Amino acid sequence: MNADDEQLLRGRVYGCDLDDAHPGPLPLQTYAALVGGPLDGLLLDITVWWPEEVDDGAALMTELGRWPGGRALYDPRPDDPRPSRGPGVVCRFYYSGDTP
């Protein structure tokens, strides 16, 4: 991925197409910021996730990882504050590897 590709992804919500009319965050939604790895800079919508699901992190499908069509693994760090409910970016998920 080059610098232009990275710039296109910043501030976008994971799962939105690049040509979506509103690929960025929406009001009243709750997001985790993805840090590092192939999805760095994207936001993950966690609005309807239970706290236990947030603690488990996410395995997100991507063509940009080590295995195209595989998943990039993102997890919260134990020492990071846990998300409060509410709109905006409330926590970070950090890249921990790829899986086929």
Side-chain angles (χ1 to χ4, degrees):
M1 182 167 31
N2 63 36
D4 291 334
D5 292 335
E6 289 179 24
Q7 193 60 31
L8 279 174
L9 295 178
R10 293 231 171 265
R12 293 183 178 274
V13 175
Y14 171 81
C16 288
D17 290 328
L18 293 177
D19 59 351
D20 278 355
H22 301 286
L26 298 173
L28 305 179
Q29 300 294 97
T30 304
Y31 297 96
L34 301 178
V35 179
L39 304 176
D40 184 50
L42 288 177
L43 301 175
L44 179 63
D45 189 340
I46 59 170
T47 303
V48 297
W49 290 29
W50 292 96
E52 299 81 22
E53 292 174 301
V54 173
D55 290 342
D56 289 341
L60 305 171
M61 291 177 47
T62 182
E63 295 295 322
L64 304 173
R66 183 172 177 189
W67 290 282
R71 295 178 184 269
L73 306 174
Y74 286 85
D75 299 295
R77 290 193 178 146
D79 56 339
D80 272 0
R82 287 294 172 242
S84 59
R85 281 297 180 209
V89 177
V90 298
C91 65
R92 291 185 175 96
F93 283 1
Y94 298 88
Y95 175 71
S96 60
D98 292 311
T99 188

mmCIF file of all heavy atoms in Angstrom, residues 29-73:
data_model
loop_
_atom_site.group_PDB
_atom_site.id
_atom_site.type_symbol
_atom_site.label_atom_id
_atom_site.label_comp_id
_atom_site.label_asym_id
_atom_site.label_seq_id
_atom_site.Cartn_x
_atom_site.Cartn_y
_atom_site.Cartn_z
ATOM 1 N N GLN A 29 -22.933 7.311 16.553
ATOM 2 C CA GLN A 29 -22.334 5.987 16.465
ATOM 3 C C GLN A 29 -21.080 5.955 17.338
ATOM 4 O O GLN A 29 -20.455 6.985 17.572
ATOM 5 C CB GLN A 29 -21.974 5.633 15.026
ATOM 6 C CG GLN A 29 -23.155 5.618 14.064
ATOM 7 C CD GLN A 29 -24.143 4.525 14.384
ATOM 8 O OE1 GLN A 29 -25.151 4.762 15.038
ATOM 9 N NE2 GLN A 29 -23.862 3.329 13.942
ATOM 10 N N THR A 30 -20.707 4.761 17.784
ATOM 11 C CA THR A 30 -19.532 4.566 18.625
ATOM 12 C C THR A 30 -18.484 3.806 17.826
ATOM 13 O O THR A 30 -18.808 2.801 17.182
ATOM 14 C CB THR A 30 -19.913 3.772 19.893
ATOM 15 O OG1 THR A 30 -20.973 4.467 20.560
ATOM 16 C CG2 THR A 30 -18.735 3.630 20.831
ATOM 17 N N TYR A 31 -17.221 4.269 17.888
ATOM 18 C CA TYR A 31 -16.167 3.686 17.055
ATOM 19 C C TYR A 31 -14.924 3.345 17.864
ATOM 20 O O TYR A 31 -14.617 3.999 18.862
ATOM 21 C CB TYR A 31 -15.755 4.672 15.953
ATOM 22 C CG TYR A 31 -16.867 4.995 15.005
ATOM 23 C CD1 TYR A 31 -17.644 6.128 15.168
ATOM 24 C CD2 TYR A 31 -17.150 4.160 13.935
ATOM 25 C CE1 TYR A 31 -18.675 6.430 14.298
ATOM 26 C CE2 TYR A 31 -18.189 4.448 13.058
ATOM 27 C CZ TYR A 31 -18.943 5.579 13.246
ATOM 28 O OH TYR A 31 -19.968 5.861 12.382
ATOM 29 N N ALA A 32 -14.206 2.326 17.352
ATOM 30 C CA ALA A 32 -12.846 2.022 17.806
ATOM 31 C C ALA A 32 -11.923 2.422 16.657
ATOM 32 O O ALA A 32 -12.195 2.104 15.497
ATOM 33 C CB ALA A 32 -12.691 0.535 18.109
ATOM 34 N N ALA A 33 -10.846 3.121 16.959
ATOM 35 C CA ALA A 33 -9.849 3.483 15.950
ATOM 36 C C ALA A 33 -8.904 2.301 15.769
ATOM 37 O O ALA A 33 -8.426 1.728 16.752
ATOM 38 C CB ALA A 33 -9.079 4.719 16.395
ATOM 39 N N LEU A 34 -8.643 1.911 14.524
ATOM 40 C CA LEU A 34 -7.721 0.813 14.234
ATOM 41 C C LEU A 34 -6.316 1.391 14.090
ATOM 42 O O LEU A 34 -6.110 2.333 13.332
ATOM 43 C CB LEU A 34 -8.147 0.083 12.965
ATOM 44 C CG LEU A 34 -9.559 -0.511 13.006
ATOM 45 C CD1 LEU A 34 -9.900 -1.176 11.685
ATOM 46 C CD2 LEU A 34 -9.704 -1.480 14.165
ATOM 47 N N VAL A 35 -5.366 0.827 14.827
ATOM 48 C CA VAL A 35 -4.008 1.353 14.897
ATOM 49 C C VAL A 35 -3.031 0.292 14.394
ATOM 50 O O VAL A 35 -2.999 -0.829 14.910
ATOM 51 C CB VAL A 35 -3.646 1.768 16.338
ATOM 52 C CG1 VAL A 35 -2.233 2.297 16.405
ATOM 53 C CG2 VAL A 35 -4.644 2.783 16.877
ATOM 54 N N GLY A 36 -2.242 0.648 13.382
ATOM 55 C CA GLY A 36 -1.235 -0.246 12.834
ATOM 56 C C GLY A 36 -1.827 -1.226 11.832
ATOM 57 O O GLY A 36 -3.036 -1.293 11.624
ATOM 58 N N GLY A 37 -0.946 -1.983 11.193
ATOM 59 C CA GLY A 37 -1.379 -3.013 10.259
ATOM 60 C C GLY A 37 -2.031 -2.476 9.004
ATOM 61 O O GLY A 37 -2.005 -1.270 8.733
ATOM 62 N N PRO A 38 -2.661 -3.354 8.238
ATOM 63 C CA PRO A 38 -3.197 -2.963 6.938
ATOM 64 C C PRO A 38 -4.416 -2.043 7.004
ATOM 65 O O PRO A 38 -4.734 -1.384 6.020
ATOM 66 C CB PRO A 38 -3.560 -4.295 6.284
ATOM 67 C CG PRO A 38 -3.783 -5.230 7.417
ATOM 68 C CD PRO A 38 -2.827 -4.782 8.490
ATOM 69 N N LEU A 39 -5.086 -1.978 8.125
ATOM 70 C CA LEU A 39 -6.294 -1.151 8.244
ATOM 71 C C LEU A 39 -6.076 0.084 9.107
ATOM 72 O O LEU A 39 -7.028 0.722 9.557
ATOM 73 C CB LEU A 39 -7.449 -2.002 8.796
ATOM 74 C CG LEU A 39 -7.767 -3.261 7.979
ATOM 75 C CD1 LEU A 39 -8.858 -4.077 8.653
ATOM 76 C CD2 LEU A 39 -8.146 -2.911 6.559
ATOM 77 N N ASP A 40 -4.816 0.433 9.304
ATOM 78 C CA ASP A 40 -4.457 1.594 10.123
ATOM 79 C C ASP A 40 -5.202 2.837 9.658
ATOM 80 O O ASP A 40 -5.257 3.131 8.469
ATOM 81 C CB ASP A 40 -2.952 1.842 10.033
ATOM 82 C CG ASP A 40 -2.491 2.967 10.941
ATOM 83 O OD1 ASP A 40 -2.860 2.939 12.123
ATOM 84 O OD2 ASP A 40 -1.777 3.859 10.461
ATOM 85 N N GLY A 41 -5.802 3.535 10.595
ATOM 86 C CA GLY A 41 -6.503 4.783 10.284
ATOM 87 C C GLY A 41 -7.995 4.615 10.067
ATOM 88 O O GLY A 41 -8.728 5.595 10.074
ATOM 89 N N LEU A 42 -8.464 3.384 9.887
ATOM 90 C CA LEU A 42 -9.898 3.166 9.739
ATOM 91 C C LEU A 42 -10.576 3.185 11.100
ATOM 92 O O LEU A 42 -9.935 2.984 12.141
ATOM 93 C CB LEU A 42 -10.177 1.821 9.067
ATOM 94 C CG LEU A 42 -9.851 1.704 7.591
ATOM 95 C CD1 LEU A 42 -10.126 0.288 7.110
ATOM 96 C CD2 LEU A 42 -10.645 2.690 6.762
ATOM 97 N N LEU A 43 -11.873 3.396 11.085
ATOM 98 C CA LEU A 43 -12.689 3.328 12.292
ATOM 99 C C LEU A 43 -13.581 2.099 12.199
ATOM 100 O O LEU A 43 -14.085 1.774 11.125
ATOM 101 C CB LEU A 43 -13.555 4.587 12.423
ATOM 102 C CG LEU A 43 -12.799 5.904 12.479
ATOM 103 C CD1 LEU A 43 -13.784 7.070 12.478
ATOM 104 C CD2 LEU A 43 -11.891 5.958 13.686
ATOM 105 N N LEU A 44 -13.766 1.413 13.311
ATOM 106 C CA LEU A 44 -14.627 0.236 13.366
ATOM 107 C C LEU A 44 -15.862 0.585 14.182
ATOM 108 O O LEU A 44 -15.745 1.019 15.339
ATOM 109 C CB LEU A 44 -13.871 -0.934 14.008
ATOM 110 C CG LEU A 44 -14.651 -2.228 14.156
ATOM 111 C CD1 LEU A 44 -15.046 -2.795 12.792
ATOM 112 C CD2 LEU A 44 -13.841 -3.242 14.955
ATOM 113 N N ASP A 45 -17.035 0.420 13.593
ATOM 114 C CA ASP A 45 -18.290 0.727 14.280
ATOM 115 C C ASP A 45 -18.559 -0.345 15.340
ATOM 116 O O ASP A 45 -18.747 -1.516 15.017
ATOM 117 C CB ASP A 45 -19.429 0.779 13.271
ATOM 118 C CG ASP A 45 -20.719 1.299 13.863
ATOM 119 O OD1 ASP A 45 -20.882 1.280 15.098
ATOM 120 O OD2 ASP A 45 -21.584 1.747 13.085
ATOM 121 N N ILE A 46 -18.558 0.060 16.605
ATOM 122 C CA ILE A 46 -18.819 -0.856 17.715
ATOM 123 C C ILE A 46 -20.076 -0.439 18.481
ATOM 124 O O ILE A 46 -20.253 -0.809 19.634
ATOM 125 C CB ILE A 46 -17.599 -0.961 18.662
ATOM 126 C CG1 ILE A 46 -17.226 0.408 19.244
ATOM 127 C CG2 ILE A 46 -16.413 -1.605 17.944
ATOM 128 C CD1 ILE A 46 -16.198 0.347 20.371
ATOM 129 N N THR A 47 -20.948 0.285 17.824
ATOM 130 C CA THR A 47 -22.140 0.834 18.469
ATOM 131 C C THR A 47 -22.957 -0.228 19.185
ATOM 132 O O THR A 47 -23.409 -0.005 20.310
ATOM 133 C CB THR A 47 -23.018 1.569 17.438
ATOM 134 O OG1 THR A 47 -22.234 2.582 16.810
ATOM 135 C CG2 THR A 47 -24.234 2.192 18.088
ATOM 136 N N VAL A 48 -23.175 -1.363 18.576
ATOM 137 C CA VAL A 48 -24.055 -2.383 19.158
ATOM 138 C C VAL A 48 -23.275 -3.518 19.837
ATOM 139 O O VAL A 48 -23.862 -4.534 20.196
ATOM 140 C CB VAL A 48 -25.021 -2.964 18.097
ATOM 141 C CG1 VAL A 48 -25.942 -1.864 17.571
ATOM 142 C CG2 VAL A 48 -24.261 -3.621 16.975
ATOM 143 N N TRP A 49 -21.973 -3.355 20.023
ATOM 144 C CA TRP A 49 -21.166 -4.399 20.666
ATOM 145 C C TRP A 49 -21.364 -4.369 22.173
ATOM 146 O O TRP A 49 -21.441 -3.308 22.794
ATOM 147 C CB TRP A 49 -19.694 -4.187 20.367
ATOM 148 C CG TRP A 49 -19.267 -4.448 18.964
ATOM 149 C CD1 TRP A 49 -20.006 -4.332 17.824
ATOM 150 C CD2 TRP A 49 -17.962 -4.849 18.549
ATOM 151 N NE1 TRP A 49 -19.237 -4.637 16.739
ATOM 152 C CE2 TRP A 49 -17.987 -4.957 17.145
ATOM 153 C CE3 TRP A 49 -16.781 -5.112 19.225
ATOM 154 C CZ2 TRP A 49 -16.866 -5.326 16.409
ATOM 155 C CZ3 TRP A 49 -15.664 -5.472 18.500
ATOM 156 C CH2 TRP A 49 -15.719 -5.591 17.105
ATOM 157 N N TRP A 50 -21.389 -5.561 22.781
ATOM 158 C CA TRP A 50 -21.385 -5.686 24.230
ATOM 159 C C TRP A 50 -19.958 -5.441 24.721
ATOM 160 O O TRP A 50 -18.997 -5.647 23.978
ATOM 161 C CB TRP A 50 -21.823 -7.094 24.634
ATOM 162 C CG TRP A 50 -23.264 -7.351 24.331
ATOM 163 C CD1 TRP A 50 -23.754 -7.964 23.213
ATOM 164 C CD2 TRP A 50 -24.387 -6.990 25.120
ATOM 165 N NE1 TRP A 50 -25.115 -8.015 23.262
ATOM 166 C CE2 TRP A 50 -25.534 -7.421 24.429
ATOM 167 C CE3 TRP A 50 -24.538 -6.348 26.346
ATOM 168 C CZ2 TRP A 50 -26.817 -7.241 24.932
ATOM 169 C CZ3 TRP A 50 -25.815 -6.162 26.835
ATOM 170 C CH2 TRP A 50 -26.933 -6.600 26.135
ATOM 171 N N PRO A 51 -19.774 -5.037 25.987
ATOM 172 C CA PRO A 51 -18.417 -4.816 26.510
ATOM 173 C C PRO A 51 -17.502 -6.031 26.342
ATOM 174 O O PRO A 51 -16.315 -5.890 26.039
ATOM 175 C CB PRO A 51 -18.639 -4.486 27.981
ATOM 176 C CG PRO A 51 -20.021 -3.901 28.025
ATOM 177 C CD PRO A 51 -20.796 -4.648 26.964
ATOM 178 N N GLU A 52 -18.044 -7.236 26.487
ATOM 179 C CA GLU A 52 -17.236 -8.448 26.329
ATOM 180 C C GLU A 52 -16.725 -8.583 24.893
ATOM 181 O O GLU A 52 -15.623 -9.073 24.651
ATOM 182 C CB GLU A 52 -18.046 -9.700 26.699
ATOM 183 C CG GLU A 52 -18.519 -9.727 28.130
ATOM 184 C CD GLU A 52 -19.785 -8.894 28.368
ATOM 185 O OE1 GLU A 52 -20.549 -8.612 27.418
ATOM 186 O OE2 GLU A 52 -19.998 -8.501 29.519
ATOM 187 N N GLU A 53 -17.537 -8.177 23.923
ATOM 188 C CA GLU A 53 -17.124 -8.237 22.525
ATOM 189 C C GLU A 53 -15.996 -7.253 22.253
ATOM 190 O O GLU A 53 -15.065 -7.560 21.512
ATOM 191 C CB GLU A 53 -18.316 -7.948 21.604
ATOM 192 C CG GLU A 53 -19.374 -9.019 21.635
ATOM 193 C CD GLU A 53 -20.598 -8.633 20.830
ATOM 194 O OE1 GLU A 53 -21.219 -7.593 21.143
ATOM 195 O OE2 GLU A 53 -20.925 -9.364 19.889
ATOM 196 N N VAL A 54 -16.074 -6.085 22.857
ATOM 197 C CA VAL A 54 -15.004 -5.089 22.704
ATOM 198 C C VAL A 54 -13.713 -5.653 23.297
ATOM 199 O O VAL A 54 -12.644 -5.545 22.701
ATOM 200 C CB VAL A 54 -15.390 -3.750 23.370
ATOM 201 C CG1 VAL A 54 -14.217 -2.784 23.365
ATOM 202 C CG2 VAL A 54 -16.595 -3.132 22.665
ATOM 203 N N ASP A 55 -13.798 -6.304 24.443
ATOM 204 C CA ASP A 55 -12.620 -6.899 25.077
ATOM 205 C C ASP A 55 -11.973 -7.962 24.198
ATOM 206 O O ASP A 55 -10.758 -8.165 24.253
ATOM 207 C CB ASP A 55 -12.985 -7.531 26.421
ATOM 208 C CG ASP A 55 -13.335 -6.503 27.473
ATOM 209 O OD1 ASP A 55 -12.983 -5.314 27.302
ATOM 210 O OD2 ASP A 55 -13.968 -6.885 28.478
ATOM 211 N N ASP A 56 -12.766 -8.660 23.391
ATOM 212 C CA ASP A 56 -12.255 -9.730 22.524
ATOM 213 C C ASP A 56 -11.554 -9.213 21.274
ATOM 214 O O ASP A 56 -10.833 -9.961 20.619
ATOM 215 C CB ASP A 56 -13.385 -10.662 22.098
ATOM 216 C CG ASP A 56 -13.897 -11.524 23.246
ATOM 217 O OD1 ASP A 56 -13.168 -11.679 24.246
ATOM 218 O OD2 ASP A 56 -15.021 -12.036 23.124
ATOM 219 N N GLY A 57 -11.772 -7.945 20.900
ATOM 220 C CA GLY A 57 -11.166 -7.420 19.682
ATOM 221 C C GLY A 57 -11.902 -7.901 18.444
ATOM 222 O O GLY A 57 -13.055 -8.321 18.518
ATOM 223 N N ALA A 58 -11.209 -7.863 17.300
ATOM 224 C CA ALA A 58 -11.871 -8.177 16.041
ATOM 225 C C ALA A 58 -10.916 -8.826 15.055
ATOM 226 O O ALA A 58 -9.728 -8.513 15.026
ATOM 227 C CB ALA A 58 -12.442 -6.889 15.433
ATOM 228 N N ALA A 59 -11.447 -9.726 14.245
ATOM 229 C CA ALA A 59 -10.742 -10.318 13.113
ATOM 230 C C ALA A 59 -11.451 -9.798 11.866
ATOM 231 O O ALA A 59 -12.570 -10.205 11.563
ATOM 232 C CB ALA A 59 -10.788 -11.846 13.179
ATOM 233 N N LEU A 60 -10.819 -8.857 11.168
ATOM 234 C CA LEU A 60 -11.475 -8.120 10.086
ATOM 235 C C LEU A 60 -10.982 -8.557 8.715
ATOM 236 O O LEU A 60 -9.778 -8.568 8.447
ATOM 237 C CB LEU A 60 -11.216 -6.627 10.277
ATOM 238 C CG LEU A 60 -11.639 -6.079 11.642
ATOM 239 C CD1 LEU A 60 -11.156 -4.648 11.815
ATOM 240 C CD2 LEU A 60 -13.145 -6.173 11.802
ATOM 241 N N MET A 61 -11.916 -8.911 7.844
ATOM 242 C CA MET A 61 -11.560 -9.335 6.495
ATOM 243 C C MET A 61 -10.888 -8.185 5.745
ATOM 244 O O MET A 61 -11.319 -7.034 5.848
ATOM 245 C CB MET A 61 -12.806 -9.788 5.741
ATOM 246 C CG MET A 61 -13.375 -11.076 6.283
ATOM 247 S SD MET A 61 -14.905 -11.622 5.479
ATOM 248 C CE MET A 61 -14.535 -11.440 3.772
ATOM 249 N N THR A 62 -9.823 -8.535 5.008
ATOM 250 C CA THR A 62 -9.128 -7.529 4.209
ATOM 251 C C THR A 62 -8.339 -8.181 3.085
ATOM 252 O O THR A 62 -7.875 -9.312 3.222
ATOM 253 C CB THR A 62 -8.192 -6.659 5.074
ATOM 254 O OG1 THR A 62 -7.583 -5.676 4.242
ATOM 255 C CG2 THR A 62 -7.132 -7.481 5.758
ATOM 256 N N GLU A 63 -8.212 -7.471 2.013
ATOM 257 C CA GLU A 63 -7.347 -7.881 0.902
ATOM 258 C C GLU A 63 -5.951 -7.303 1.070
ATOM 259 O O GLU A 63 -5.058 -7.575 0.283
ATOM 260 C CB GLU A 63 -7.941 -7.411 -0.432
ATOM 261 C CG GLU A 63 -9.268 -8.055 -0.777
ATOM 262 C CD GLU A 63 -9.160 -9.551 -1.009
ATOM 263 O OE1 GLU A 63 -8.160 -9.995 -1.604
ATOM 264 O OE2 GLU A 63 -10.082 -10.280 -0.583
ATOM 265 N N LEU A 64 -5.748 -6.474 2.094
ATOM 266 C CA LEU A 64 -4.497 -5.742 2.268
ATOM 267 C C LEU A 64 -3.506 -6.426 3.196
ATOM 268 O O LEU A 64 -2.389 -5.967 3.341
ATOM 269 C CB LEU A 64 -4.797 -4.337 2.807
ATOM 270 C CG LEU A 64 -5.752 -3.495 1.970
ATOM 271 C CD1 LEU A 64 -6.088 -2.205 2.704
ATOM 272 C CD2 LEU A 64 -5.162 -3.217 0.615
ATOM 273 N N GLY A 65 -3.891 -7.503 3.835
ATOM 274 C CA GLY A 65 -3.015 -8.165 4.801
ATOM 275 C C GLY A 65 -2.047 -9.137 4.153
ATOM 276 O O GLY A 65 -1.885 -9.192 2.937
ATOM 277 N N ARG A 66 -1.424 -9.925 4.993
ATOM 278 C CA ARG A 66 -0.439 -10.909 4.538
ATOM 279 C C ARG A 66 -1.082 -11.943 3.624
ATOM 280 O O ARG A 66 -0.471 -12.433 2.681
ATOM 281 C CB ARG A 66 0.170 -11.583 5.760
ATOM 282 C CG ARG A 66 1.251 -12.557 5.441
ATOM 283 C CD ARG A 66 1.919 -13.026 6.716
ATOM 284 N NE ARG A 66 2.924 -14.023 6.421
ATOM 285 C CZ ARG A 66 3.545 -14.721 7.320
ATOM 286 N NH1 ARG A 66 3.260 -14.539 8.597
ATOM 287 N NH2 ARG A 66 4.431 -15.605 6.980
ATOM 288 N N TRP A 67 -2.327 -12.335 3.931
ATOM 289 C CA TRP A 67 -3.071 -13.273 3.112
ATOM 290 C C TRP A 67 -4.281 -12.553 2.516
ATOM 291 O O TRP A 67 -5.262 -12.320 3.220
ATOM 292 C CB TRP A 67 -3.553 -14.465 3.938
ATOM 293 C CG TRP A 67 -2.445 -15.360 4.370
ATOM 294 C CD1 TRP A 67 -1.811 -16.291 3.605
ATOM 295 C CD2 TRP A 67 -1.832 -15.414 5.654
ATOM 296 N NE1 TRP A 67 -0.844 -16.913 4.345
ATOM 297 C CE2 TRP A 67 -0.834 -16.406 5.614
ATOM 298 C CE3 TRP A 67 -2.034 -14.726 6.853
ATOM 299 C CZ2 TRP A 67 -0.040 -16.716 6.691
ATOM 300 C CZ3 TRP A 67 -1.244 -15.041 7.927
ATOM 301 C CH2 TRP A 67 -0.258 -16.023 7.849
ATOM 302 N N PRO A 68 -4.222 -12.193 1.229
ATOM 303 C CA PRO A 68 -5.391 -11.548 0.611
ATOM 304 C C PRO A 68 -6.638 -12.409 0.815
ATOM 305 O O PRO A 68 -6.613 -13.616 0.607
ATOM 306 C CB PRO A 68 -5.003 -11.444 -0.860
ATOM 307 C CG PRO A 68 -3.504 -11.407 -0.837
ATOM 308 C CD PRO A 68 -3.112 -12.324 0.296
ATOM 309 N N GLY A 69 -7.694 -11.779 1.265
ATOM 310 C CA GLY A 69 -8.924 -12.490 1.583
ATOM 311 C C GLY A 69 -8.922 -13.039 3.002
ATOM 312 O O GLY A 69 -9.905 -13.615 3.452
ATOM 313 N N GLY A 70 -7.823 -12.852 3.723
ATOM 314 C CA GLY A 70 -7.725 -13.304 5.108
ATOM 315 C C GLY A 70 -8.258 -12.246 6.055
ATOM 316 O O GLY A 70 -9.037 -11.376 5.677
ATOM 317 N N ARG A 71 -7.792 -12.310 7.280
ATOM 318 C CA ARG A 71 -8.260 -11.374 8.299
ATOM 319 C C ARG A 71 -7.080 -10.722 9.016
ATOM 320 O O ARG A 71 -6.065 -11.360 9.255
ATOM 321 C CB ARG A 71 -9.135 -12.101 9.319
ATOM 322 C CG ARG A 71 -10.412 -12.630 8.687
ATOM 323 C CD ARG A 71 -11.242 -13.397 9.691
ATOM 324 N NE ARG A 71 -12.406 -13.975 9.062
ATOM 325 C CZ ARG A 71 -13.580 -13.374 8.970
ATOM 326 N NH1 ARG A 71 -13.763 -12.183 9.480
ATOM 327 N NH2 ARG A 71 -14.588 -13.978 8.384
ATOM 328 N N ALA A 72 -7.265 -9.465 9.319
ATOM 329 C CA ALA A 72 -6.308 -8.722 10.142
ATOM 330 C C ALA A 72 -6.866 -8.722 11.561
ATOM 331 O O ALA A 72 -8.055 -8.460 11.779
ATOM 332 C CB ALA A 72 -6.148 -7.297 9.631
ATOM 333 N N LEU A 73 -6.016 -9.042 12.522
ATOM 334 C CA LEU A 73 -6.440 -9.151 13.916
ATOM 335 C C LEU A 73 -6.144 -7.852 14.665
ATOM 336 O O LEU A 73 -5.015 -7.344 14.608
ATOM 337 C CB LEU A 73 -5.710 -10.309 14.582
ATOM 338 C CG LEU A 73 -5.836 -11.662 13.869
ATOM 339 C CD1 LEU A 73 -4.961 -12.705 14.546
ATOM 340 C CD2 LEU A 73 -7.282 -12.106 13.807
#
